[in-house]
Amino acid sequence: MTLVAVQAPAFAQEQTQRAQLVQYGVETDLKALARNGKTVVFFFATWCPNCILTLSELQEKWNDIDPELTLVIADYDRETALKAQYGVTYQDTFVLLDGDAGRVKLWNSGGVKGLNENTRTR
């Protein structure tokens, strides 16, 4: 399945001082992304109404997301090894990574507010 909303992330490319959006694929180097800064993997399913709402909200409120964040969109149905690696058992799940791409925190839904609250450095 192709994630059309992720294939053409025009909302993420309008300005240079914005969070980065990456679609997870076989060549995605999560360690390199995580070493470069705050990285979150979002497990999206095309059949999930909450996931679709989350992507819509991200598009509408992209300016509100920490510009130092990299958001990686992973297909919940296809990325079974990645789900197992991070202990993901539910779609619409976010995983905050440490500098070695290890799991720091996992949460479900919450949209932009949840994304910002769960990635805020203290």
Side-chain angles (χ1 to χ4, degrees):
M1 289 187 259
T2 301
L3 303 177
V4 177
V6 177
Q7 292 290 343
F11 64 94
Q13 298 174 353
E14 294 169 1
Q15 296 178 3
T16 57
Q17 296 296 338
R18 290 197 181 180
Q20 180 181 0
L21 183 65
V22 175
Q23 183 171 356
Y24 184 82
V26 292
E27 295 188 18
T28 305
D29 187 347
L30 288 177
K31 282 190 179 186
L33 291 172
R35 270 188 245 116
N36 286 331
K38 202 181 310 181
T39 303
V40 173
V41 180
F42 173 57
F43 287 87
F44 172 86
T46 57
W47 47 264
C48 167
N50 288 341
C51 297
I52 294 166
L53 287 173
T54 296
L55 279 186
S56 293
E57 181 185 357
L58 290 170
Q59 183 172 356
E60 290 171 16
K61 298 181 179 180
W62 195 252
N63 286 333
D64 297 339
I65 297 171
D66 180 351
E68 296 179 10
L69 180 81
T70 298
L71 182 62
V72 179
I73 309 291
D75 186 304
Y76 178 81
D77 294 316
R78 282 193 289 171
E79 303 304 336
T80 55
L82 193 62
K83 286 190 313 191
Q85 177 181 344
Y86 293 123
V88 172
T89 59
Y90 189 79
Q91 71 282 356
D92 199 23
T93 297
F94 292 86
V95 181
L96 176 63
L97 305 181
D98 64 19
D100 291 321
R103 175 179 139 179
V104 172
K105 186 187 289 188
L106 180 144
W107 69 96
N108 296 102
S109 39
V112 170
K113 181 180 178 189
L115 184 61
N116 287 333
E117 287 176 356
N118 284 289
T119 58
R120 186 174 301 132
T121 54
R122 304 206 193 298

